[in-house]
Amino acid sequence: MDAASVVSETYTEDSDTAVYVDSKQAAWDPEKELLQSAVVGSIAKQCIRQGVFSRDDTRFQSIIERYGSKCPGLRADMVERRIEEFAKRSSNNVSLSAGLNSSGGDALALPLSNEQDDAEEQSPSGCRPSFKSKCKENGGFNLLTYTFLLLFFAILMFIISIISTHMDYNRAPYRNWALAGGVTSTFAEFRVRGPQSDDNLRREFVVSPNSNLGIKKDQILNAPVSYTDFSDEEHFVKKLRLDSLEPLTTYYYAITWPQVVPNSVTVVDDNIGSFKTPAPEGSRMNFTVALGSCSLTGSRSQIFQSILELEPQLFINLGDF
């Protein structure tokens, strides 16, 4: 027989692995040893699941023969010793004899150590770590879990903000309103919103330097704004203007319901607006400008009440409204 073809088999107590040594090259193949160790461990686990724990069991030899072709040099004592190791590792959790009595000889799956769990969860290619082992490597931190948590809290905060906004916002349609703008020392424009349906009530838009808008002699503008006073092109918003105002004068305006009693009116919704004309062009004057942002226009935010208390000549909404 050629010396180069002679192969001897050695077995060590520590590795439970058959190591093949070429008598000519005497080279150690760690890859083959690792493969055989994994095969022996898998066969031992298969025996445990089937309730086979020693070579005295008739099924033990059939299992060895079934996998022997895939692992040349596989011996019964190698598998038996590995079964004993698994049994020792699991002795703190499950007694082997108690498991046999309770299962009546049926298959018993013994809990293995964390190392064996991780090794078993590896794919045959040995390259895909399990969720458990991945968390262990990252010190318990799992990016996917934290991502879902952050996403959940972001959605929760968004829902809370929507509910809070809805509770603090006047969403009801507001009719019968009037706005003043484009004010100079002698000029002002107005936008007046009329009723959307015909309620047979007479309405007038009144502008006066007197806070008592019912005094006829002080009224400088009195325009009918009832339902029938709006054309289709106006879309229930009438545009009015005055160009004969006095500088540095406060004027009052509102939508009113005229009364039978002379010099008496009822202000719709008790909403009286006012503005003050500035000094003539080229003259110096003191004035107040109010700025605001991050508050919903039309809401009951405290910022708008504070602005009214300052009585500014100009308000600038900076955004996020």
Side-chain angles (χ1 to χ4, degrees):
M1 183 180 295
D2 187 11
S5 62
V6 176
V7 178
S8 61
E9 177 186 333
T10 61
Y11 174 79
T12 62
E13 293 290 335
D14 295 334
S15 65
D16 286 351
T17 306
V19 181
Y20 294 86
V21 181
D22 191 305
S23 60
K24 183 177 182 179
Q25 298 180 357
W28 173 60
D29 191 343
E31 197 172 306
K32 183 180 293 186
E33 180 178 350
L34 183 61
L35 176 62
Q36 289 184 338
S37 178
V39 172
V40 171
S42 297
I43 295 173
K45 291 176 184 179
Q46 185 67 21
C47 291
I48 292 174
R49 292 189 182 99
Q50 296 185 20
V52 178
F53 299 98
S54 70
R55 68 177 71 186
D56 297 333
D57 195 310
T58 55
R59 294 172 293 173
F60 186 85
Q61 192 60 36
S62 63
I63 295 175
I64 298 298
E65 292 175 355
R66 185 189 313 165
Y67 295 100
S69 60
K70 300 180 182 179
C71 182
L74 178 67
R75 295 198 308 272
D77 57 336
M78 297 162 59
V79 178
E80 191 175 34
R81 186 173 289 103
R82 186 61 63 87
I83 292 174
E84 293 175 358
E85 289 180 1
F86 289 157
K88 289 179 181 178
R89 291 173 184 174
S90 62
S91 59
N92 293 332
N93 301 320
V94 178
S95 171
L96 185 59
S97 58
L100 285 171
N101 292 334
S102 62
S103 62
D106 292 335
L108 174 65
L110 295 177
L112 306 178
S113 65
N114 291 335
E115 291 181 2
Q116 295 299 324
D117 281 343
D118 292 343
E120 185 176 6
E121 289 171 354
Q122 298 281 347
S123 64
S125 60
C127 295
R128 186 158 212 172
S130 64
F131 179 86
K132 181 178 178 181
S133 61
K134 194 66 178 176
C135 289
K136 189 187 302 179
E137 292 174 6
N138 296 335
F141 175 82
N142 182 265
L143 181 60
L144 186 62
T145 302
Y146 280 88
T147 300
F148 277 116
L149 284 174
L150 289 175
L151 182 62
F152 170 77
F153 283 110
I155 295 175
L156 180 63
M157 293 302 296
F158 176 75
I159 294 174
I160 292 175
S161 65
I162 292 296
I163 295 175
S164 177
T165 300
H166 180 78
M167 294 174 62
D168 196 44
Y169 190 72
N170 180 17
R171 296 182 179 273
Y174 188 74
R175 311 299 183 193
N176 302 310
W177 52 260
L179 297 174
V183 178
T184 68
S185 60
T186 59
F187 177 84
E189 279 195 358
F190 304 91
R191 298 291 184 270
V192 184
R193 177 67 160 85
Q196 195 168 4
S197 60
D198 190 1
D199 52 9
N200 295 319
L201 294 177
R202 183 186 172 195
R203 292 176 174 82
E204 293 177 346
F205 177 69
V206 177
V207 180
S208 173
N210 192 333
S211 59
N212 184 356
L213 297 176
I215 307 298
K216 288 286 186 181
K217 66 180 182 65
D218 292 334
Q219 295 177 358
I220 59 175
L221 177 63
N222 188 313
V225 289
S226 302
Y227 177 81
T228 55
D229 297 320
F230 290 86
S231 65
D232 294 337
E233 292 77 15
E234 288 178 318
H235 300 290
F236 299 104
V237 177
K238 193 173 287 294
K239 299 179 181 179
L240 303 171
R241 61 178 59 191
L242 286 171
D243 55 6
S244 58
L245 304 178
E246 296 292 330
L248 299 175
T249 302
T250 300
Y251 292 91
Y252 303 89
Y253 62 93
I255 299 174
T256 65
W257 286 317
Q259 302 298 311
V260 177
V261 180
N263 295 328
S264 176
V265 295
T266 299
V267 177
V268 176
D269 297 331
D270 295 326
N271 190 5
I272 300 178
S274 66
F275 64 91
K276 185 177 182 179
T277 54
E281 286 75 2
S283 303
R284 292 179 177 273
M285 64 169 290
N286 295 325
F287 60 93
T288 301
V289 177
L291 308 175
S293 67
C294 302
S295 294
L296 288 173
T297 301
S299 70
R300 294 183 288 271
S301 178
Q302 182 59 38
I303 184 176
F304 298 113
Q305 185 61 38
S306 300
I307 289 172
L308 287 175
E309 293 172 0
L310 294 174
E311 298 183 351
Q313 278 70 42
L314 176 64
F315 168 64
I316 301 176
N317 197 328
L318 298 179
D320 290 340
F321 50 83

